[in-house]
Amino acid sequence: MRGVVLKSRDVSQARGAADYVRYLATHDALTGLPNRSLMLDRIAQATARAHRDHLHVAVLAIDIDRFRMVNETLGHAAGDTLLRQVSERLRQATRDIDTVARVAGDLFVVLLPAVEAPGLAGKVAERILADLRRPFGASDSELHVSVSIGMSLYPQDATGAEDLLKYADAALHAAKIDGSGDYRHFRPRIDRELRERMALEGGLRRAAERGELVLHYQPKVDLATHRVRGAEALVRWRYPELGLVQPSRFIPLAEETGLIMSLGEWVLRAACTQLRGWRDAGLELNVSVNVSARQFQQANLVERIVEVLDQTGVDPGWLEIELTESSVIEDAERAIASLRKLKEHGVRVAIDDFGTAYSSLSYLKRLPLDVLKIDQSFVQGVTGDHDSAAIVKAIIGLARSLGIEVIAEGVELQGDVDFLSAWGCNQAQGFYFGRPVPSDDFRRLFGASL
Ligand code: C2E
Ligand code: MG
Ligand code: MG
C-alpha cells in the first residue's frame, strides 16, 4: 500500500517537475511572460485559425526607447522593475485572447490573434503608445519612458511565424531610425532598406583598415587675387559593390553607430599627412577638415587633434577645423570651451553651413572663430533670389564686423563670383573654381595657382 502511494507521489512529482521545466523553457523568468519560443507557437496557432476564420493577425514588436540609459543611470534593479511594470501595463492594455511576450532585453511582442480589419491593429498600437507614456514608479521617483512599435500583419506581410516576427522587428528598427516614440507598419521597402543599411554598416566598420577610404580636395580661392589659398578635405568611400560612395550616404550612419570616431581620426591623420607632403613640396596652402557634431562632443577631441598634428609634423596654423553651426549651438558653453582650447594651440576654426541653424548673434561674438562659411543654399540663390542675396550680404557684413573671414560655398556661376566680389566676400569654394578631386589631381590642377 505504502509502495503504491509512494509511486503515485513520484508520478505527480515527476509531472510537476516536467511542467515546471516546460514552464521555464517557455517563459521569461523576470516578468513571467511567455518567451520567444512560446510566442512563435502562439503566432503559428493564430495564423492557422485566422486563415480558417478569414481574420487578420497582428504582431507588434515593442521596444523601450533609451532603455540602456535607465540601466546605466538608475541601475539594473531599476531597469528590472521597469521591465516588470511595462509588462504589466502591456497586459492591461490588451485583451485576454492577446498574448504579451518578452522576447529579449527590453523587446516585448504583442500578438493580436483575431483582428477584423488591419486598421484596428494600428489603433491598438496607438493605445499602447499612450498607455506607456504615463509615468512609471512611485510618485517621488517618477520615470517617464516612451516606446517604439513595429507591426506586421498576417496574411498581408508574411504567413510564417518567424517572418512575421522578423518583419515586426524590421518595422521597429525603421520606427527608431525615424525618431523614437511612434509606430510603423512593415513595408517591403523597410526590409530592403534595413538590409542595405546593415551591409553598409558592416562594410563601413572595415573601410579604413581595407584602405577603402579616400580624401578628395576642393580648392578655396581668394576672391581678390583668384589664387588658391587652401583645400577642404572631403571623404569618399570606395565601396566594392557601390563604387564611390558620397559622404551624405555614410556620414549620418557613421554618426549614429559611433563609427564616426575612428573615421574622423582617419580623415584627420590622412589630411595632415597630405598637408605635410604638400608643404614639403613648397605648396603654401591650408587644409580644412570637417568634424562632425558627435566627434566634437568627444571629451578629448582637442588632445587628439594636437597629437595628430605632432605626429605628422603639421604646424597648427595650417589646419582648419570645420564645424557645422548646429553642432556648435547644441551645447554652446562646451563648444566655446573646446574652441578656446583649439585656439590656444593655434588651430583655425570655421563654422560650416552658416545660416542654416539660427544661431544667436550674442554668443557668435563669444566664439573664437576664424572663418564663417556661408551655406551653399544661399550662395546659389544670390543672382536670382532677393532673400538669398540679402542673407549673403548680411553674413558678409556680420563676419567683417566680427573681424573674421568669410567663405562662400557652392559657387557655380560667374554671376555668383561677381556678386560675392562686389560685396567683399574673402574666399569662394565651388564647382566654378574646381570640384573635389584626389590629391594628385589637386596638385596638378591647382599647384601652379598657389
Ligand atoms: P560640407 O563640409 O559643407 O562640404 C561641401 C559640400 O558641397 C561637398 O559635398 C562638396 O562636394 C559640395 N560642393 C562643393 N562645391 C559645390 C558646388 O559648387 N555645387 C554643389 N552643388 N555642391 C558643391 P560632399 O563632399 O558630398 O560632402 C557633403 C558633406 O559631408 C560635407 O559638407 C560635410 O558636412 C560632410 N563630410 C564630408 N567629408 C567629411 C569628413 O571627412 N568628416 C565629416 N565629419 N564630414 C564630412
Ligand atoms: Mg565643410
Ligand atoms: Mg558646407
Side-chain angles (χ1 to χ4, degrees):
M1 207 38 206
R2 215 180 143 77
V4 172
V5 170
L6 244 177
K7 208 173 159 198
S8 87
R9 206 171 65 199
D10 278 354
V11 168
S12 77
Q13 257 181 358
R15 185 178 296 141
D19 283 349
Y20 187 56
V21 168
R22 196 172 313 125
Y23 175 85
L24 285 183
T26 54
H27 289 77
D28 161 45
L30 180 70
T31 59
L33 290 176
N35 64 12
R36 185 170 191 280
S37 82
L38 184 54
M39 178 46 101
L40 284 169
D41 278 354
R42 298 261 171 99
I43 297 174
Q45 285 168 19
T47 54
R49 221 171 307 123
H51 176 70
R52 198 187 58 209
D53 301 341
H54 303 289
L55 289 170
H56 305 267
V57 173
V59 177
L60 275 53
I62 303 165
D63 175 281
I64 305 172
D65 299 327
R66 289 174 286 281
F67 179 68
R68 189 158 15 117
M69 232 170 74
V70 174
N71 260 337
E72 279 169 9
T73 56
L74 302 176
H76 286 269
D80 285 353
T81 305
L82 177 64
L83 290 173
R84 278 195 218 101
Q85 290 173 334
V86 167
S87 69
E88 197 42 52
R89 219 172 269 180
L90 283 173
R91 257 192 297 229
Q92 284 164 10
T94 50
R95 297 169 303 175
D96 285 347
I97 59 163
D98 304 333
T99 301
V100 180
R102 175 172 173 240
V103 301
D106 64 328
L107 180 59
F108 293 88
V109 172
V110 169
L111 165 69
L112 313 176
V115 178
E116 275 150 31
L120 294 175
K123 294 258 184 305
V124 177
E126 275 167 16
R127 199 171 65 226
I128 291 175
L129 285 172
D131 273 2
L132 292 177
R133 233 173 261 138
R134 283 188 290 118
F136 286 92
S139 57
D140 58 332
S141 58
E142 273 192 359
L143 186 57
H144 293 262
V145 299
S146 70
V147 299
S148 300
I149 302 183
M151 181 170 78
S152 67
L153 286 174
Y154 167 93
Q156 293 86 324
D157 302 327
T159 51
E162 289 269 8
D163 281 348
L164 283 164
L165 201 53
K166 190 174 84 187
Y167 290 167
D169 204 37
L172 171 64
H173 270 85
K176 291 249 170 195
I177 292 167
D178 281 357
S180 333
D182 208 350
Y183 85 93
R184 285 273 303 259
H185 182 178
F186 174 79
R187 296 268 174 278
R189 191 170 51 83
I190 288 179
D191 195 35
R192 208 174 48 239
E193 283 169 6
L194 221 62
R195 274 175 217 272
E196 272 175 23
R197 218 182 119 85
M198 275 162 65
L200 218 57
E201 189 186 326
L204 191 55
R205 220 167 264 287
R206 290 179 297 272
E209 70 195 47
R210 288 187 181 166
E212 292 169 359
L213 296 177
V214 273
L215 289 183
H216 282 189
Y217 294 88
Q218 186 178 31
K220 292 193 281 187
V221 175
D222 189 309
L223 279 171
T225 61
H226 278 222
R227 294 179 81 88
V228 174
R229 295 266 304 275
E232 177 171 7
L234 295 156
V235 70
R236 273 92 182 96
W237 175 21
R238 272 183 214 292
Y239 189 55
E241 282 112 86
L242 296 172
L244 207 60
V245 188
Q246 298 300 311
S248 56
R249 279 197 68 190
F250 64 90
I251 293 285
L253 181 67
E255 291 205 310
E256 267 170 50
T257 52
L259 289 170
I260 192 70
M261 302 301 182
S262 54
L263 190 145
E265 180 120 10
W266 181 91
V267 168
L268 184 66
R269 197 171 290 276
C272 284
T273 306
Q274 183 62 63
L275 177 53
R276 180 72 244 184
W278 278 336
R279 285 277 175 167
D280 287 344
L283 276 65
E284 292 234 342
L285 84 176
N286 295 342
V287 166
S288 60
V289 169
N290 293 282
V291 168
S292 87
R294 181 125 182 227
Q295 260 177 293
F296 189 54
Q297 286 156 7
Q298 210 179 354
N300 60 351
L301 178 74
V302 177
E303 288 76 12
R304 298 300 276 267
I305 292 175
V306 170
E307 193 185 309
V308 172
L309 287 171
D310 276 349
Q311 289 168 352
T312 51
V314 163
D315 185 318
W318 302 342
L319 178 70
E320 196 166 285
I321 294 295
E322 292 193 7
L323 293 158
T324 59
E325 191 184 2
S326 48
S327 73
V328 172
I329 58 179
E330 233 166 61
D331 188 352
E333 289 312 314
R334 223 175 111 174
I336 291 171
S338 299
L339 294 185
R340 291 228 166 105
K341 268 206 286 178
L342 272 178
K343 223 38 246 181
E344 279 163 24
H345 284 98
V347 176
R348 289 164 58 85
V349 177
I351 294 294
D352 207 348
D353 303 344
F354 187 77
T356 54
Y358 315 101
S359 43
S360 97
L361 298 181
S362 62
Y363 84 76
L364 195 62
K365 211 174 62 193
R366 295 174 53 211
L367 290 173
L369 297 178
D370 300 282
V371 178
L372 282 188
K373 297 188 81 177
I374 311 174
D375 190 67
Q376 44 179 287
S377 59
F378 305 119
V379 174
Q380 284 168 357
V382 290
T383 49
D385 159 17
H386 279 297
D387 290 345
S388 293
I391 291 170
V392 168
K393 281 189 246 173
I395 297 176
I396 294 172
L398 175 71
R400 290 185 128 193
S401 70
L402 292 172
I404 54 189
E405 273 193 273
V406 58
I407 302 185
E409 284 191 290
V411 175
E412 294 184 354
L413 307 170
Q414 176 71 52
D416 302 339
V417 177
D418 296 341
F419 180 96
L420 294 162
S421 302
W423 288 96
C425 183
N426 305 107
Q427 292 185 43
Q429 180 183 348
F431 296 169
Y432 178 81
F433 295 105
R435 291 181 179 258
V437 288
S439 57
D440 290 349
D441 295 344
F442 183 87
R443 187 172 174 183
R444 188 168 50 75
L445 290 166
F446 309 111
S449 65
L450 273 159

